[in-house]
Amino acid sequence: QVQLLESGGGSVQSGGSLRLSCAASGSTYNTYCMGWFRLAPGKEREGVATIVRDGSTRYADPVKGRFTISQDNAKNTLHLQMTSLKPEDTAMYYCVADGRDFPCREWTWFDFGSVGQGTQVTVSS
């Protein structure tokens, strides 16, 4: 299993930007597929973006064109650049990772072998 530590969350006004980071340690070979999920009060957990080691990315429709996922394989770090933030982006954001490719294809939360503690993002109107 790999340990994931998120950082970069905070409070911003609508239209602002934030950059989330996720540092992976331990069994980093289990990071073939990485991504971000989020959980907002009263809502179900949803996938935000994922990336596999070959660089292929996938985004949820609500964040397309506003969020960019990237990874630094040399530093075992995942990033999520968020721009044009909206109040509906307010949520706890969780970094996820797995050594297999199907979690990135299926986007089911429980398929990921490693999950971080989360970082809070709050967007005010």
Side-chain angles (χ1 to χ4, degrees), residues 12-36:
V12 295
Q13 290 191 327
S14 182
S17 300
L18 281 174
R19 187 182 192 225
L20 305 184
S21 295
C22 172
S25 61
S27 303
T28 54
Y29 56 84
N30 282 326
T31 57
Y32 176 81
C33 158
M34 296 189 74
W36 297 90

Side-chain angles (χ1 to χ4, degrees), residues 9 25 51 56-58 99 104 111 123:
S25 61
I51 187 168
S56 301
T57 58
R58 176 180 173 184
C104 280
D111 281 330
V123 184

Side-chain angles (χ1 to χ4, degrees), residues 9-78:
S11 297
V12 295
Q13 290 191 327
S14 182
S17 300
L18 281 174
R19 187 182 192 225
L20 305 184
S21 295
C22 172
S25 61
S27 303
T28 54
Y29 56 84
N30 282 326
T31 57
Y32 176 81
C33 158
M34 296 189 74
W36 297 90
F37 276 67
R38 66 186 181 185
L39 180 62
K43 296 184 178 180
E44 292 187 358
R45 201 184 311 264
E46 63 176 354
V48 176
T50 53
I51 187 168
V52 294
R53 197 159 288 166
D54 66 0
S56 301
T57 58
R58 176 180 173 184
Y59 296 91
D61 286 343
V63 308
K64 283 181 180 177
R66 300 188 298 121
F67 291 11
T68 302
I69 190 170
S70 63
Q71 60 186 10
D72 183 336
N73 290 327
K75 296 182 179 179
N76 295 315
T77 304
L78 180 74

